[in-house]
Amino acid sequence: MTRMCSGIITIDGFAASGKSTCARLLSSSLGVPMLSTGMAHRLNVWVLLHEGINPNDLEQLELYLSRLELHFDVQNNVLTPNINGYGIPPDELDSDEVRKWLPRITRRPEVGRGLAARFRTATAGMRLVAEGHGLGTGIFPEAGHKFFCDAPTEIRIERRWRQRCAASEVISREEVGRELRERDASDAMREVNPVRQLPDMVVVDTGKLTPDECLKLMLEVLD
C-alpha cells in the first residue's frame, strides 16, 4: 500500500535521540524529501564565522539576519541548505569552532525567529519530513503530524560518543556526556523554538525500538 504524505511531518527530540535515522527511514518510505534543520543551523553558524561577524555583537548579528537568504536544493531526496550563496563546506560543519558556537547562537531569540521564518518561506507548499530541534513547538507548529524521538540520556551519550570516535576524535564518554547535558538544558530553556514534547506529538522510543520498529510505528500513525 502506498502511503501519502500531506504537508509537513515533524520529528523533534534532543541530541542523539534518533531523529535523523527516523527521518531518513520515513522520508524514504514516503518518497518525500527530508529536511534537517540542524544542518541549516550549522551552516548558518559557519557563514557567520566565515564572514567575520561577531555573534556577540547584537548590531552585527541583526544586520546579518536582515540580509540572510535561505533556500534548499534537493539532492538524493535531502533538502540541502544554501545561505547567502554558501553551500555546505566539506568537512567544516562539524569543526570544533562550529560546535562551540552552535548552541550559543541557536538559542539567541533573534536567530531562532529569523531562521524559523526563512524555513517556512523556503519550504512553503512542500511535502516533506523535517527533523530537528523545536520544529513542532515553533518552526512548523501547524504540521499535520508530529513525532518526538526519545531515549534515556545514557543511551544518547553512548550514541554520540561512538559517532565522535568514528569521526576519529579523541574524546571521553564523560566529556561527551557533559556536552550533551549542557546542550539538552540549552535546547529546553531557549526562549524561541524550545525542544519540548507537546500533547500533539507521538513519542517514538528509540531506546527500546529498533529503527525498523520506529518506522513501523510512524507509518501506522500516518495510516
Side-chain angles (χ1 to χ4, degrees):
M1 174 180 177
T2 301
R3 294 174 171 86
M4 298 299 293
C5 164
S6 176
I8 292 176
I9 297 169
T10 59
I11 301 180
D12 273 280
F14 289 101
S17 60
K19 302 183 304 298
S20 297
T21 297
C22 287
R24 281 195 297 269
L25 291 171
L26 187 59
S27 69
S28 176
S29 179
L30 296 174
V32 300
M34 168 184 158
L35 165 65
S36 171
T37 57
M39 184 185 297
H41 275 290
R42 285 178 179 273
L43 177 59
N44 180 58
V45 172
W46 181 88
V47 173
L48 275 167
L49 299 175
H50 180 74
E51 293 190 348
I53 295 167
N54 180 0
N56 290 323
D57 187 317
L58 182 58
E59 186 175 349
Q60 285 190 36
L61 184 59
E62 289 184 339
L63 180 60
Y64 164 79
L65 291 171
S66 71
R67 60 180 179 80
L68 191 155
E69 294 184 0
L70 168 68
H71 73 263
F72 294 99
D73 300 313
V74 181
Q75 298 179 357
N76 299 320
N77 210 40
V78 174
L79 292 179
T80 304
N82 182 294
I83 292 178
N84 293 351
Y86 295 102
I88 299 296
D91 304 321
E92 293 186 43
L93 289 194
D94 286 321
S95 68
D96 289 341
E97 193 71 2
V98 170
R99 187 178 295 117
K100 179 183 78 173
W101 279 103
L102 182 65
R104 305 181 194 179
I105 293 174
T106 54
R107 70 175 175 232
R108 297 287 295 268
E110 54 273 14
V111 173
R113 283 190 288 266
L115 281 182
R118 285 163 177 81
F119 282 136
R120 290 190 289 269
T121 298
T123 60
M126 297 183 66
R127 297 167 58 232
L128 57 89
V129 175
E131 65 90 7
H133 301 293
L135 301 187
T137 58
I139 298 177
F140 300 116
E142 304 302 322
H145 291 88
K146 302 177 184 180
F147 295 96
F148 189 92
C149 286
D150 197 14
T153 301
E154 290 305 317
I155 289 179
R156 295 190 293 116
I157 290 172
E158 180 71 14
R159 289 173 180 167
R160 184 51 50 90
W161 178 72
R162 289 182 179 277
Q163 289 172 355
R164 302 277 288 273
C165 289
S168 301
E169 286 189 56
V170 179
I171 189 168
S172 67
R173 282 188 181 86
E174 290 72 20
E175 186 175 353
V176 170
R178 184 170 58 254
E179 290 180 0
L180 186 139
R181 289 187 175 92
E182 289 175 355
R183 179 69 186 276
D184 284 356
S186 175
D187 288 341
M189 297 174 63
R190 64 192 185 195
E191 181 181 336
V192 177
N193 309 329
V195 179
R196 190 172 299 153
Q197 180 189 331
L198 298 180
D200 62 349
M201 296 177 179
V202 176
V203 176
V204 181
D205 189 340
T206 66
K208 292 182 178 179
L209 303 177
T210 67
D212 285 343
E213 289 171 336
C214 290
L215 175 61
K216 182 174 182 290
L217 184 156
M218 292 187 291
L219 290 176
E220 287 174 350
V221 170
L222 297 176
D223 266 348

